[in-house]
Amino acid sequence: MTKPATTTSGTDVLRRVEDRVLWLSSAIIHHANRVRPNPSGLKVGGHQASSASMVSIMTALWFNHLRPQDRVSVKPHASPVLHALNHLLGGLDASYLPRLREFGGLQSYPSRTKDPDPADYSTGSVGIGATAPIWGAISRRYVETAFGGAGTGRQYSLVGDAELDEGAVWEAVLDPGVAELGEIVWIVDLNRQSLDRIVPNIAADKLQGMFAAAGWQVIRLKYGRLLEDLFTRPGGAELRQRIDAMTNPEYQRLLRCDAPELRRRLPGDGPTSAAIAQLLADLDDTTLVDAIANLGGHDLDALDDAFREIDDSRPTVIFAYTIKGYGLATKGHPQNHSALLTDAQMRELADRLGADLDDPWRPFPDGSPEQDLCRATAERLRRPEFPVTAPPPVPADFGRTPTGTATTQAALGRALLDLTREAPETARRVVTVSPDVSSTTNLGGWVNKVGVWSVQERPDWFADDAETILHWREKPTGQHIELGIAEVNLVGLLGELGATWSRWGQPLLPIGVLYDPFVERALEPWSYGIYAGGQSILIGTPSGVTLAPEGGAHQSIKTPSIGLEQPGCLTYEPAFALDAEWTLLAALGQLGKPGGSSAYLRLSTRPVDQNLANVPADPAARERRRRQVVAGAYPLRRVAGAVVTIAAMGAVVPEALDAAARLDQIGIPADVVCVTSPDLLYRAVRARQGHEEAETWVLDQVFPADRATPLVTVLDGHPHTLSFLATINRVKTTALGVTRFGQSGSLEDVYRHHGLDADSIVRAALDLTG
């Protein structure tokens, strides 16, 4: 347990620091909206009220309880409070304080990668930042067990109460492994307001019960010391009962009342009103007004007590009752979410807090107790530098050429096992994650080889069962992490596993596997993890309408476009097992380093004759093919005098080859290009146009101008994914793909239904060549 850094006399100093945090966070937003020139007239924004409700909590945490090894995720709308604290502790120069939401200045919400001051977690998308420290805790434990150097430390989440509406929160809280993470501490800013309204029934008791049922320690911090003292006086029990029973809107209305109005409203009209009225009569006006707003989340002493109660053997949630806009003229108002204080209100606030609106960033005087406290706290929280370990080299090619019939999904498992033999140091950095689909996505052999990660070792009760094929050996040294059926948890964990290189200097090579139709379910947190600097590989398999028997509900259509459009991510959809191996290895080589990239691979369970890949036997020609595969495409079939080109991707490449052979028979020579990454090809096209930096050589090799012909594109996904290919040489084109919900059926029937079969490709080519 930590010990507060302040003595009783020092509490007064800390309160003055608290006042300065409130002032700075309010002034940062005020300057951005009312002082800084704004020629466009567009709203700048910021959240003074949402920041104010967190000031006491964050001041108590940073100055009394936080340790260098701890990490904190700050609720999005409290970012100005984080900037104010970082400034007071020397981590943010005053020149940035007027630059909230300015280009190159302070971001709208805390950002690990874009803000100039320290932010442990990027937040902004409701619920995702709140859950990130759970996955950060697992990542820290994984690194510490596997490589050392990550140490210990609590993982704090400062959560807005409205964030508890998000399903991502409960998916994370309810994952079976989370109850074993004692370093997790959530502090819920229970201000009982959302963006539009006062929440009529926050159901705090129900929420607390849900956390308790999930194995969490629940600490309720409702009232401050002043109110708790009043509750001990005659009439105090009745006052507590009255406040406990009133609705949120009624309580919030009392915050807007002066003392005479409080004396009229607060007693109510029930049988306890006389006792309450008598208690209030004995209070002076100032004490009465202060008392009604004296909630636990604004009482530094009560907050200290709550932090001391934390039990590090299980996750903890502290429900800290607060007031939105506490300390501001807008406190408790139902529409204060985005409200801005006027100049007059800011001047009144400055006078009350000992600040100066005309010199808003004025520091504490040299040698003052407040400055000394800030300097001592900054020194105490100084983190050691972590030596950076470069990721081990990843082989480019295992030298094996698959034969017979195989699937790209099976190639994934095979490649991981080959990696353990060919590059064991690299394989040791690989960690796979699955939402209960490891066996059905061909990770069984890998799981048997490396074991399943868990906080503690558990017995494998089926180890001696001869009929058990998948051996579930759970131990802290395992390299596969199995989550419950929650894709949001999967990508949340991937993001944090992919950020260990920048947190503790230890790179991991994380690979998450899920069913491709559910990529869209996980899209927002996956994208946010990439934004926050997490580098990982997401593998969607099986994909598309090629998963014919599963029906329309499980046939992904848009995912190829998602891969093409997602920033910070490479995407591949290989057609053959060797292509899958090469692209996986290339993607692994992009992880765990500055300037690295995430990747998305879309794989299939369709068995394909590997001889169709026609892999060159000559070593130099094979390496040329590999480079083309990794760059986005390669010529799979070239014939003399071609009059049409078929560009196909993924599972439908066999249909493209079949169509080309049939076209040849009727006197229409056809080339076939196998596309492995529309993403990289599109980047190359944009680079040619001068829009971005990317290599363009693959366009010259695969789509040379002297072989420009009308173009048929085909993939098991939305046809617009490849339609841009026609712009390379400005040729006539037709795009085949999937634009409707599918239905169950045989592969042949479903392909025919969507126009992906060889007949459809032949007809499209005939229409173009007329």
Side-chain angles (χ1 to χ4, degrees), residues 407-480:
T407 73
T408 54
Q409 178 179 287
L412 164 66
R414 178 64 182 268
L416 289 176
L417 288 175
D418 283 346
L419 193 65
T420 63
R421 292 186 287 267
E422 299 294 329
E425 288 303 310
T426 303
R428 186 70 192 93
R429 299 274 171 175
V430 172
V431 52
T432 55
V433 187
S434 165
D436 198 37
V437 293
S438 54
S439 58
T440 54
T441 54
N442 284 89
L443 289 182
W446 164 260
V447 172
N448 285 345
K449 175 82 172 179
V450 301
V452 178
W453 182 87
S454 67
V455 172
Q456 57 188 341
E457 187 160 358
R458 295 185 174 92
D460 178 7
W461 296 107
F462 287 84
D464 59 349
D465 186 336
E467 296 183 3
T468 297
I469 299 175
L470 180 62
H471 296 289
W472 210 253
R473 295 190 298 272
E474 298 180 81
K475 52 189 178 179
T477 57
Q479 290 180 245
H480 175 76

Side-chain angles (χ1 to χ4, degrees), residues 686-701:
R686 285 179 54 80
R688 267 192 180 178
Q689 297 168 344
H691 297 309
E692 61 180 275
E693 295 289 329
E695 294 184 342
T696 62
W697 60 264
V698 68
L699 301 180
D700 299 323
Q701 291 189 6

Side-chain angles (χ1 to χ4, degrees), residues 374-385:
C374 290
R375 286 178 175 170
T377 302
E379 184 60 32
R380 175 173 57 82
L381 294 178
R382 192 180 309 279
R383 290 175 179 166
E385 293 289 331

Side-chain angles (χ1 to χ4, degrees), residues 114-139:
K114 295 182 179 295
D115 269 320
D117 57 330
D120 292 331
Y121 290 96
S122 296
T123 62
S125 192
V126 175
I128 295 173
T131 58
I134 289 178
W135 317 123
I138 293 175
S139 301

Side-chain angles (χ1 to χ4, degrees), residues 498-544:
T500 60
W501 66 273
S502 59
R503 290 196 190 280
W504 301 289
Q506 289 290 354
L508 296 177
L509 308 179
I511 301 173
V513 181
L514 78 167
Y515 294 156
D516 192 69
F518 304 144
V519 167
E520 291 177 81
R521 184 182 297 177
L523 180 58
E524 185 197 9
W526 176 50
S527 178
Y528 214 84
I530 294 173
Y531 166 81
Q535 299 171 7
S536 62
I537 298 173
L538 185 66
I539 295 179
T541 181
S543 62

Side-chain angles (χ1 to χ4, degrees), residues 27-201:
I28 286 170
I29 299 167
H30 177 80
H31 195 283
N33 287 273
R34 299 198 186 277
V35 180
R36 192 169 71 218
N38 183 9
S40 72
L42 293 174
K43 172 187 173 183
V44 176
H47 303 84
Q48 289 174 326
S50 294
S51 292
S53 67
M54 286 298 303
V55 166
S56 303
I57 293 170
M58 294 176 68
T59 300
L61 179 59
W62 258 257
F63 283 87
N64 280 1
H65 298 275
L66 204 61
R67 303 166 300 179
Q69 64 268 35
D70 299 333
R71 298 289 187 273
V72 187
S73 172
V74 177
K75 79 169 190 177
H77 291 164
S79 64
V81 184
L82 177 63
H83 297 313
L85 285 166
N86 283 337
H87 169 65
L88 290 175
L89 298 178
L92 179 66
D93 188 79
S95 62
Y96 279 101
L97 298 181
R99 301 184 62 196
L100 178 69
R101 302 188 175 202
E102 180 183 82
F103 188 80
L106 302 176
Q107 298 298 301
S108 305
Y109 309 119
S111 173
R112 288 189 71 230
T113 57
K114 295 182 179 295
D115 269 320
D117 57 330
D120 292 331
Y121 290 96
S122 296
T123 62
S125 192
V126 175
I128 295 173
T131 58
I134 289 178
W135 317 123
I138 293 175
S139 301
R140 184 204 60 75
R141 289 193 182 215
Y142 189 98
V143 168
E144 177 63 21
T145 300
F147 307 106
T152 59
R154 286 177 179 168
Q155 299 278 341
Y156 290 93
S157 289
L158 307 182
V159 185
D161 54 2
E163 288 192 85
L164 298 183
D165 291 343
E166 282 288 344
V169 166
W170 299 107
E171 289 185 35
V173 167
L174 295 175
D175 189 87
V178 171
E180 298 178 288
L181 302 175
E183 62 267 49
I184 298 296
V185 179
W186 282 22
I187 306 166
V188 179
D189 173 19
L190 198 68
N191 61 44
R192 295 175 277 195
Q193 286 186 238
S194 61
L195 189 151
D196 291 327
R197 60 176 181 158
I198 299 169
V199 180
N201 296 296

